[in-house]
Amino acid sequence: DTGVSQNPRHKITKRGQNVTFRCDPISEHNRLYWYRQTLGQGPEFLTYFQNEAQLEKSRLLSDRFSAERPKGSFSTLEIQRTEQGDSAMYLCASSLSKDQPQHFGDGTRLSIL
Amino acid sequence: AQSVTQLDSQVPVFEEAPVELRCNYSSSVSVYLFWYVQYPNQGLQLLLKYLSGSTLVKGINGFEAEFNKSQTSFHLRKPSVHISDTAEYFCAVSSFFQGAQKLVFGQGTRLTINP
Protein backbone atom coordinates (compact mmCIF):
# COMPACT_ATOMS: atom_id res chain seq x y z
CA ASP A 1 0.00 0.00 0.00
CA THR A 2 1.90 3.03 -1.26
CA GLY A 3 -0.91 5.43 -0.45
CA VAL A 4 -2.61 8.11 -2.55
CA SER A 5 -0.08 10.31 -4.33
CA GLN A 6 -0.76 13.88 -5.46
CA ASN A 7 1.40 16.14 -7.61
CA PRO A 8 2.48 18.82 -7.40
CA ARG A 9 2.37 19.48 -3.65
CA HIS A 10 2.33 23.21 -4.19
CA LYS A 11 1.36 25.34 -7.17
CA ILE A 12 1.70 29.11 -7.39
CA THR A 13 0.26 30.78 -10.45
CA LYS A 14 -1.01 34.11 -11.69
CA ARG A 15 -4.69 34.83 -11.95
CA GLY A 16 -6.05 33.80 -15.34
CA GLN A 17 -3.64 30.93 -15.90
CA ASN A 18 -4.65 27.29 -16.27
CA VAL A 19 -3.45 24.66 -13.81
CA THR A 20 -3.61 20.87 -13.74
CA PHE A 21 -3.20 18.56 -10.76
CA ARG A 22 -2.63 14.83 -10.79
CA CYS A 23 -3.81 12.13 -8.38
CA ASP A 24 -2.59 8.52 -8.32
CA PRO A 25 -4.91 6.43 -6.13
CA ILE A 26 -4.05 3.24 -4.28
CA SER A 27 -3.62 0.72 -7.07
CA GLU A 28 -6.61 -1.57 -6.46
CA HIS A 29 -9.03 1.25 -5.58
CA ASN A 30 -11.60 1.85 -8.30
CA ARG A 31 -13.35 4.76 -6.57
CA LEU A 32 -11.67 8.18 -6.68
CA TYR A 33 -12.83 11.44 -5.12
CA TRP A 34 -11.74 15.09 -5.30
CA TYR A 35 -12.32 17.53 -2.45
CA ARG A 36 -11.43 21.19 -1.93
CA GLN A 37 -10.38 22.60 1.44
CA THR A 38 -10.16 26.34 2.04
CA LEU A 39 -8.32 27.81 5.00
CA GLY A 40 -9.96 27.04 8.31
CA GLN A 41 -12.65 24.83 6.79
CA GLY A 42 -13.30 21.15 6.35
CA PRO A 43 -12.96 19.56 2.92
CA GLU A 44 -15.87 19.92 0.50
CA PHE A 45 -16.78 17.29 -2.07
CA LEU A 46 -16.11 18.20 -5.71
CA THR A 47 -16.47 15.09 -7.85
CA TYR A 48 -16.32 11.29 -7.91
CA PHE A 49 -15.18 8.60 -10.34
CA GLN A 50 -15.93 4.91 -10.40
CA ASN A 51 -13.30 3.48 -12.70
CA GLU A 52 -13.21 5.92 -15.65
CA ALA A 53 -16.79 7.14 -15.27
CA GLN A 54 -17.43 10.48 -13.59
CA LEU A 55 -20.66 9.79 -11.71
CA GLU A 56 -21.16 12.85 -9.57
CA LYS A 57 -20.22 16.53 -9.70
CA SER A 58 -20.81 19.14 -7.02
CA ARG A 59 -22.32 22.53 -7.76
CA LEU A 60 -18.97 23.86 -6.50
CA LEU A 61 -17.42 22.55 -9.73
CA SER A 62 -17.96 25.45 -12.09
CA ASP A 63 -17.49 25.29 -15.86
CA ARG A 64 -13.85 26.30 -15.38
CA PHE A 65 -13.18 23.00 -13.62
CA SER A 66 -12.81 19.67 -15.37
CA ALA A 67 -11.73 16.30 -14.07
CA GLU A 68 -10.78 13.15 -15.93
CA ARG A 69 -9.78 9.60 -15.18
CA PRO A 70 -9.13 8.28 -18.66
CA LYS A 71 -8.02 4.72 -17.94
CA GLY A 72 -9.59 4.26 -14.56
CA SER A 73 -6.25 4.71 -12.80
CA PHE A 74 -4.82 8.21 -12.22
CA SER A 75 -6.99 11.30 -12.38
CA THR A 76 -6.38 14.93 -13.32
CA LEU A 77 -8.18 18.05 -12.16
CA GLU A 78 -7.83 21.12 -14.38
CA ILE A 79 -8.82 24.66 -13.52
CA GLN A 80 -9.02 27.12 -16.40
CA ARG A 81 -8.71 30.90 -16.05
CA THR A 82 -7.90 30.69 -12.35
CA GLU A 83 -9.41 33.22 -9.95
CA GLN A 84 -8.37 34.36 -6.47
CA GLY A 85 -11.18 32.30 -4.97
CA ASP A 86 -9.65 29.12 -6.35
CA SER A 87 -6.84 29.33 -3.79
CA ALA A 88 -7.25 26.22 -1.65
CA MET A 89 -5.92 22.76 -0.88
CA TYR A 90 -7.18 20.21 -3.41
CA LEU A 91 -7.41 16.74 -1.90
CA CYS A 92 -7.78 13.43 -3.67
CA ALA A 93 -9.06 10.27 -1.99
CA SER A 94 -9.66 6.70 -3.10
CA SER A 95 -11.55 3.71 -1.77
CA LEU A 96 -11.85 0.03 -2.57
CA SER A 97 -15.62 -0.21 -2.34
CA LYS A 98 -18.72 1.70 -1.32
CA ASP A 99 -18.43 0.61 2.32
CA GLN A 100 -14.70 1.09 2.75
CA PRO A 101 -13.21 4.33 4.14
CA GLN A 102 -11.59 6.84 1.86
CA HIS A 103 -7.82 7.20 1.95
CA PHE A 104 -6.55 10.72 1.33
CA GLY A 105 -3.44 12.05 -0.35
CA ASP A 106 -1.42 14.95 1.04
CA GLY A 107 -3.11 17.38 -1.33
CA THR A 108 -2.04 20.08 -3.76
CA ARG A 109 -2.00 23.59 -2.32
CA LEU A 110 -2.91 26.17 -4.97
CA SER A 111 -2.02 29.82 -4.47
CA ILE A 112 -3.26 32.44 -6.93
CA LEU A 113 -1.24 35.65 -7.13
CA ALA B 1 -29.27 17.13 3.34
CA GLN B 2 -26.68 16.10 5.88
CA SER B 3 -24.58 18.39 8.02
CA VAL B 4 -21.95 18.16 10.72
CA THR B 5 -21.32 20.62 13.53
CA GLN B 6 -18.12 20.56 15.52
CA LEU B 7 -18.93 22.53 18.60
CA ASP B 8 -15.42 23.74 19.42
CA SER B 9 -13.12 25.41 16.90
CA GLN B 10 -10.13 25.22 19.26
CA VAL B 11 -9.39 23.02 22.27
CA PRO B 12 -6.25 23.65 24.33
CA VAL B 13 -5.29 21.00 26.89
CA PHE B 14 -2.26 20.09 28.93
CA GLU B 15 -0.19 17.03 28.14
CA GLU B 16 -1.48 13.82 29.77
CA ALA B 17 -4.91 15.37 30.41
CA PRO B 18 -8.08 13.83 28.96
CA VAL B 19 -9.80 15.45 25.99
CA GLU B 20 -13.19 15.33 24.31
CA LEU B 21 -13.88 16.80 20.88
CA ARG B 22 -17.57 17.23 20.22
CA CYS B 23 -19.43 16.44 17.02
CA ASN B 24 -23.13 16.58 16.23
CA TYR B 25 -24.68 15.60 12.93
CA SER B 26 -28.01 15.82 11.19
CA SER B 27 -29.33 13.30 8.72
CA SER B 28 -32.68 11.89 7.71
CA VAL B 29 -31.22 8.46 6.96
CA SER B 30 -28.81 6.03 8.55
CA VAL B 31 -25.25 7.19 8.24
CA TYR B 32 -21.68 6.18 8.62
CA LEU B 33 -19.57 8.45 10.85
CA PHE B 34 -15.86 9.15 10.80
CA TRP B 35 -13.14 11.07 12.56
CA TYR B 36 -10.10 12.16 10.57
CA VAL B 37 -6.91 13.90 11.76
CA GLN B 38 -4.91 16.37 9.69
CA TYR B 39 -1.34 17.36 10.53
CA PRO B 40 0.06 20.59 9.03
CA ASN B 41 0.47 20.49 5.25
CA GLN B 42 -0.76 16.92 5.05
CA GLY B 43 -3.90 15.12 3.97
CA LEU B 44 -6.43 13.49 6.23
CA GLN B 45 -5.75 10.29 8.13
CA LEU B 46 -8.60 8.11 9.33
CA LEU B 47 -8.75 7.82 13.14
CA LEU B 48 -11.87 5.70 13.45
CA LYS B 49 -15.23 4.93 11.90
CA TYR B 50 -18.70 3.90 12.94
CA LEU B 51 -20.61 1.77 10.45
CA SER B 52 -22.89 -0.31 12.65
CA GLY B 53 -22.83 -2.49 15.75
CA SER B 54 -21.22 -1.42 19.02
CA THR B 55 -21.69 2.28 19.67
CA LEU B 56 -18.23 2.58 21.25
CA VAL B 57 -15.61 2.63 18.53
CA LYS B 58 -11.89 2.37 19.16
CA GLY B 59 -9.41 3.87 16.73
CA ILE B 60 -5.73 4.48 16.30
CA ASN B 61 -3.44 6.42 18.64
CA GLY B 62 -5.61 5.66 21.69
CA PHE B 63 -8.68 7.57 20.47
CA GLU B 64 -12.24 6.33 20.82
CA ALA B 65 -15.66 7.71 19.96
CA GLU B 66 -19.20 6.97 21.03
CA PHE B 67 -22.16 7.03 18.66
CA ASN B 68 -25.33 8.35 20.31
CA LYS B 69 -28.27 8.10 17.95
CA SER B 70 -30.78 9.85 20.21
CA GLN B 71 -28.50 12.86 20.62
CA THR B 72 -27.13 12.60 17.06
CA SER B 73 -23.62 12.90 18.42
CA PHE B 74 -20.28 11.22 17.78
CA HIS B 75 -17.83 12.70 20.29
CA LEU B 76 -14.13 11.83 20.15
CA ARG B 77 -12.22 11.12 23.35
CA LYS B 78 -8.74 10.28 24.54
CA PRO B 79 -7.93 9.62 28.22
CA SER B 80 -4.39 11.04 28.09
CA VAL B 81 -3.05 13.22 25.29
CA HIS B 82 0.50 13.69 24.04
CA ILE B 83 2.26 16.58 22.38
CA SER B 84 2.13 14.61 19.12
CA ASP B 85 -1.70 14.77 19.15
CA THR B 86 -1.53 18.46 18.25
CA ALA B 87 -3.44 18.63 14.95
CA GLU B 88 -6.76 19.50 13.30
CA TYR B 89 -9.54 16.97 13.80
CA PHE B 90 -12.50 16.58 11.45
CA CYS B 91 -15.76 14.77 12.03
CA ALA B 92 -17.55 13.55 8.90
CA VAL B 93 -20.81 11.90 7.95
CA SER B 94 -21.30 9.98 4.74
CA SER B 95 -24.16 9.68 2.36
CA PHE B 96 -24.36 7.10 -0.36
CA PHE B 97 -24.91 7.73 -4.03
CA GLN B 98 -24.08 5.95 -7.25
CA GLY B 99 -22.19 3.21 -5.45
CA ALA B 100 -19.94 5.47 -3.39
CA GLN B 101 -19.72 7.59 -0.28
CA LYS B 102 -19.85 11.37 -0.26
CA LEU B 103 -18.27 12.71 2.91
CA VAL B 104 -19.65 15.84 4.54
CA PHE B 105 -17.14 17.33 6.98
CA GLY B 106 -17.43 19.62 9.95
CA GLN B 107 -15.33 22.76 10.14
CA GLY B 108 -12.69 21.10 12.26
CA THR B 109 -11.37 21.39 15.81
CA ARG B 110 -7.80 22.47 16.39
CA LEU B 111 -6.37 20.49 19.31
CA THR B 112 -3.36 22.11 20.93
CA ILE B 113 -1.42 20.21 23.57
CA ASN B 114 0.58 22.31 26.02
CA PRO B 115 3.49 20.85 28.01
Side-chain angles (χ1 to χ4, degrees), chain B residues 78-93:
Chain B
K78 185 169 182 177
S80 176
V81 296
H82 303 287
I83 292 286
S84 59
D85 292 323
T86 296
E88 191 89 17
Y89 291 79
F90 292 95
C91 180
V93 63

Side-chain angles (χ1 to χ4, degrees), chain A residues 9 31 33 35 37 40-43 45 48 50 55-56 98-102 104-106, chain B residues 32 36 38 41-44 46 49 51 90 96-103 105-107:
Chain A
R9 291 294 313 278
R31 289 163 169 82
Y33 309 79
Y35 292 82
Q37 184 180 22
Q41 302 294 318
F45 171 83
Y48 154 69
Q50 186 169 333
L55 299 183
E56 180 80 4
K98 180 184 70 172
D99 295 329
Q100 293 300 309
Q102 296 175 28
F104 284 81
D106 284 340
Chain B
Y32 289 359
Y36 283 86
Q38 186 176 36
N41 296 314
Q42 293 187 22
L44 282 73
L46 180 68
K49 61 185 184 288
L51 306 182
F90 292 95
F96 290 93
F97 67 100
Q98 305 258 25
Q101 291 181 27
K102 180 190 300 184
L103 293 175
F105 288 88
Q107 291 191 319

Side-chain angles (χ1 to χ4, degrees), chain B:
Chain B
Q2 297 170 315
S3 66
V4 174
T5 302
Q6 292 184 240
L7 297 158
D8 306 292
S9 59
Q10 297 187 55
V11 174
V13 297
F14 288 106
E15 193 173 17
E16 298 184 6
V19 69
E20 177 180 82
L21 306 184
R22 297 181 293 168
C23 172
N24 286 94
Y25 70 94
S26 68
S27 176
S28 58
V29 297
S30 296
V31 296
Y32 289 359
L33 292 158
F34 305 83
W35 276 98
Y36 283 86
V37 60
Q38 186 176 36
Y39 299 102
N41 296 314
Q42 293 187 22
L44 282 73
Q45 180 183 2
L46 180 68
L47 277 178
L48 48 79
K49 61 185 184 288
Y50 173 77
L51 306 182
S52 64
S54 173
T55 57
L56 184 63
V57 180
K58 293 190 183 297
I60 63 171
N61 301 342
F63 284 94
E64 63 180 33
E66 185 157 18
F67 171 60
N68 188 318
K69 187 175 182 179
S70 62
Q71 296 186 4
T72 60
S73 68
F74 190 54
H75 300 334
L76 181 71
R77 302 185 183 100
K78 185 169 182 177
S80 176
V81 296
H82 303 287
I83 292 286
S84 59
D85 292 323
T86 296
E88 191 89 17
Y89 291 79
F90 292 95
C91 180
V93 63
S94 68
S95 61
F96 290 93
F97 67 100
Q98 305 258 25
Q101 291 181 27
K102 180 190 300 184
L103 293 175
V104 175
F105 288 88
Q107 291 191 319
T109 297
R110 180 169 298 278
L111 177 62
T112 304
I113 311 301
N114 299 307

